[in-house]
Amino acid sequence: MTTSKAKAKTSPESANTDAKATAAAPERTALEEIIVERRESVGLITLNRPKSLNALNLQLAAEVMQTLKEFDADDRIGAVVITGSPRAFAAGADIEEMAEKHLVDLLAGDIFADWDQMRFIKKPVIAAVSGFALGGGFELALMCDFIIASNDAQFGLPEIRLGILPGIGGSQRLTKSIGKALAMDLILTGRTIGADEAKESGIVARVVPTEDLLQTALEAAHQIAGHNAPAVTMAKEAVNYALESTLTPGVQHERRLFQAAFATDGQKEGMAAFIAKRAPVFRNR
């Protein structure tokens, strides 16, 4: 285990949480395929397979999901960032691991099923994407709650060039995100798009300079972690519910969640602080 120091910017909006947490020495653990850090109230997962440009293999999937579950159960963690290297977030799934497999192998192991568990992570997960996010790497980014990209990021689902198609939810999440036309274009041609086009199409939330990527993602995560945790969980659930339902049940579900937020201490503190014109101090109850 090693420690390091990092400085964070501050903003009035996040005065109660601030990115001051990034100034603390992070707890850091290296597994075989990822590096895990706890930076105060934010969990950081760095994909760490540099020789393969962070290609996603089964072990990496297992380590990421294990870590996400641990962060989700940790009351000290309010949000999570997943990132890769400046050259590649993840350049795809591990082709060498899959190339010789047959249908029976894939059915027996239900390959990629581990990734489905990301749907059950309650805390917000941010993808900080630099360089290539292709194939499975793009699909992993889409599984996160939102994407912050560096201006040199490249996104694509080139599986069609290998004689296959996306298999970690890419065809489903991309279509829901940007609609049929562009999803068909990207999936059937296998072409890549840059960060600016990805933002214009609604795939990416923010585009920042490469050198600012991780800091920006960590600041966003710290800001989220500083809010009333039950309300954050409910808000994430409400947005995800919108993707799974029609408008009427979605609005009804949101209203029930809104009402439930009034059973939390955080609602009382947040509104009292607003009236008193001071920063709230949430205790996540």
Side-chain angles (χ1 to χ4, degrees), residues 220-236:
H222 276 103
Q223 186 171 16
I224 292 169
H227 297 319
N228 181 23
V232 170
T233 298
M234 293 177 195
K236 173 174 172 172

Side-chain angles (χ1 to χ4, degrees), residues 113-133:
D114 279 355
W115 292 114
D116 289 344
Q117 298 173 63
M118 277 194 72
R119 296 186 294 117
F120 304 110
I121 300 300
K122 294 181 179 180
K123 292 174 182 174
V125 181
I126 302 170
V129 176
S130 183
F132 298 113

Side-chain angles (χ1 to χ4, degrees), residues 60-247:
L60 182 145
E63 291 185 6
V64 169
M65 287 314 311
Q66 170 193 328
T67 303
L68 283 174
K69 290 176 182 177
E70 290 173 357
F71 283 150
D72 213 30
D74 188 342
D75 291 340
R76 299 171 299 172
I77 299 296
V80 180
V81 173
I82 299 179
T83 193
S85 68
R87 187 178 177 192
F89 176 74
D94 193 324
I95 303 304
E96 291 186 4
E97 185 177 67
M98 294 187 293
E100 299 303 319
K101 292 188 181 296
H102 297 280
L103 173 61
V104 173
D105 303 320
L106 301 183
L107 289 175
D110 198 8
I111 193 169
F112 300 148
D114 279 355
W115 292 114
D116 289 344
Q117 298 173 63
M118 277 194 72
R119 296 186 294 117
F120 304 110
I121 300 300
K122 294 181 179 180
K123 292 174 182 174
V125 181
I126 302 170
V129 176
S130 183
F132 298 113
L134 305 177
F138 188 12
E139 291 174 292
L140 172 56
L142 288 170
M143 282 186 272
C144 297
D145 293 305
F146 63 92
I147 301 170
I148 298 177
S150 66
N151 49 21
D152 66 347
Q154 295 286 317
F155 299 89
L157 294 172
E159 289 90 342
I160 201 74
R161 299 178 186 175
L162 302 176
I164 56 173
L165 67 154
I168 316 181
S171 66
Q172 306 304 298
R173 291 187 178 89
L174 187 62
T175 302
K176 289 181 180 295
S177 176
I178 62 177
K180 175 184 174 182
L182 186 52
M184 280 287 194
D185 178 7
L186 294 178
I187 291 169
L188 297 184
T189 66
R191 76 180 181 94
T192 62
I193 60 174
D196 289 336
E197 185 176 351
K199 186 176 187 300
E200 289 172 5
S201 64
I203 295 170
V204 166
R206 311 185 203 178
V207 176
V208 299
T210 303
E211 61 271 20
D212 296 335
L213 175 64
L214 184 57
Q215 184 66 31
T216 301
L218 288 171
E219 287 180 359
H222 276 103
Q223 186 171 16
I224 292 169
H227 297 319
N228 181 23
V232 170
T233 298
M234 293 177 195
K236 173 174 172 172
E237 179 183 331
V239 174
N240 285 333
Y241 194 87
L243 297 176
E244 305 290 339
S245 70
T246 54
L247 180 61

Side-chain angles (χ1 to χ4, degrees), residues 45-73:
I45 298 173
T46 303
L47 309 183
N48 189 37
R49 303 190 71 217
K51 293 182 180 178
S52 64
L53 296 180
N54 293 329
L56 310 183
N57 62 6
L58 297 178
Q59 182 171 341
L60 182 145
E63 291 185 6
V64 169
M65 287 314 311
Q66 170 193 328
T67 303
L68 283 174
K69 290 176 182 177
E70 290 173 357
F71 283 150
D72 213 30

